[in-house]
């Protein structure tokens, strides 16, 4: 009973703080839709130690028996390593003081890395992706504009799995970088037929609560 009351208190306190707090408060208030294997009490312990500068030496065991830890924690960005093969990164997108979106990147290794991004409001209600990014990156976007249409369709037809890793990079983690994983998933021989037509990365910048593709890519 005492443990249950402690968990409920943590959840209540986090929910109140998240209304006007930073990313650490949203990490604590997340109800378990994103962090399905890492309960709020474990997250609270990781945050407390990260804020004391102990994030690199502090770990927690999640519900799957894997080791979880916080890799990076700033006022508006947090990266959590859930296990050796999965991670979650939260980034606050702000437009003034009243409008905030939480962008969540979940990444798994297959063994090539593959990600998905979802968006939530401050009450953890999922938002339509198109509200925050006009078009999610797809494998087609990595091919150079000069690639002939027939050749493009042929090359896309040879790709069985569209594996794309998403990361927050750059100063203040304010750039969304999409990187295709073809080189690490397919054989060297297979990759060579795509390589001349590809760009390695696509980047997006933050404008308020939306992500816009950078020009000249």
């Amino acid at each position: 009973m005492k443990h249950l009351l402690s968990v409920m208190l943590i959840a209540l306190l986090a929910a109140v703080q998240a209304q006007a707090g930073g990313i650490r408060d949203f990490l604590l208030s997340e109800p378990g839709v994103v962090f399905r294997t890492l309960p709020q009490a474990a997250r609270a312990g990781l945050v407390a130690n990260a804020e004391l500068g102990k994030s690199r030496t502090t770990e927690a065991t999640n519900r799957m028996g894997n080791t979880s830890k916080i890799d990076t924690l700033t006022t508006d960005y947090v990266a959590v390593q859930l296990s050796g093969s999965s991670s979650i990164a939260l980034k606050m997108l702000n437009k003034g003081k009243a409008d905030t979106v939480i962008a969540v990147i979940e990444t798994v290794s297959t063994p090539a890395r593959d990600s998905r991004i979802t968006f939530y409001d401050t009450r953890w209600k999922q938002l339509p992706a198109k509200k925050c990014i006009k078009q999610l990156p797809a494998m087609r976007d990595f091919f150079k504009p000069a690639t002939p249409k027939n050749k493009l369709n042929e090359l896309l037809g040879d790709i069985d799995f569209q594996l794309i890793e998403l990361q927050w990079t750059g100063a203040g983690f304010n750039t969304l970088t999409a990187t295709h994983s073809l080189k690490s998933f397919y054989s060297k021989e297979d990759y060579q037929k795509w390589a001349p037509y590809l760009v390695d990365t696509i980047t997006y910048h933050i404008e308020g609560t939306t992500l816009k593709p950078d020009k000249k890519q």
Side-chain angles (χ1 to χ4, degrees):
M1 179 63 73
K2 185 178 293 185
H3 175 71
L4 178 60
L5 290 174
S6 176
V7 171
M8 291 175 65
L9 180 60
I10 291 171
L12 179 60
L13 178 60
V16 172
Q17 290 177 321
Q19 298 305 311
I23 198 66
R24 50 96 67 200
D25 299 317
F26 290 108
L27 172 61
L28 296 179
S29 70
E30 197 283 311
V33 176
V34 174
F35 290 97
R36 293 174 289 276
T37 65
L38 192 63
Q40 288 173 316
R43 281 178 259 152
L46 291 176
V47 167
N49 283 286
E51 292 178 333
L52 291 172
K54 300 178 181 179
S55 59
R56 294 186 178 181
T57 58
T58 301
E59 300 174 341
T61 301
N62 62 36
R63 290 189 175 114
M64 300 299 291
N66 297 313
T67 298
S68 301
K69 64 178 182 177
I70 290 178
D71 288 331
T72 306
L73 177 62
T74 70
T75 56
D76 63 1
Y77 170 78
V78 61
V80 181
Q81 190 71 34
L82 291 178
S83 69
S85 60
S86 65
S87 62
I88 296 178
L90 275 57
K91 174 70 178 177
M92 290 174 63
L93 311 181
N94 297 309
K95 187 177 182 181
K97 295 183 178 180
D99 196 359
T100 298
V101 167
I102 310 300
V104 178
I105 294 176
E106 299 174 77
T107 301
V108 296
S109 298
T110 60
R113 294 174 69 79
D114 188 40
S115 305
R116 70 171 183 172
I117 186 168
T118 49
F119 303 91
Y120 298 85
D121 65 15
T122 57
R123 297 181 180 276
W124 285 103
K125 177 182 177 182
Q126 187 170 343
L127 302 171
K130 289 185 177 180
K131 181 177 179 180
C132 304
I133 186 170
K134 185 175 181 180
Q135 184 174 339
L136 293 170
M139 199 62 238
R140 175 181 293 270
D141 301 321
F142 289 93
F143 284 87
K144 299 174 182 177
T147 306
K149 186 176 181 180
N150 289 343
K151 188 64 176 179
L152 173 62
N153 291 334
E154 174 191 332
L155 294 171
L156 285 172
D158 290 336
I159 299 174
D160 298 314
F161 302 98
Q162 297 199 35
L163 303 174
I164 299 172
E165 182 181 8
L166 301 174
Q167 294 177 290
W168 294 106
T169 62
F173 301 98
N174 286 324
T175 299
L176 177 65
T177 300
T179 307
H180 68 77
S181 299
L182 294 179
K183 192 171 185 178
S184 57
F185 187 78
Y186 288 92
S187 68
K188 183 177 180 180
E189 292 73 20
D190 282 339
Y191 179 70
Q192 287 307 312
K193 64 185 175 184
W194 297 304
Y197 304 95
L198 290 171
V199 296
D200 291 329
T201 61
I202 300 169
T203 56
Y204 300 76
H205 61 276
I206 300 171
E207 288 188 13
T209 56
T210 61
L211 295 168
K212 301 289 182 66
D214 290 335
K215 297 178 180 179
K216 298 181 180 180
Q217 298 200 50

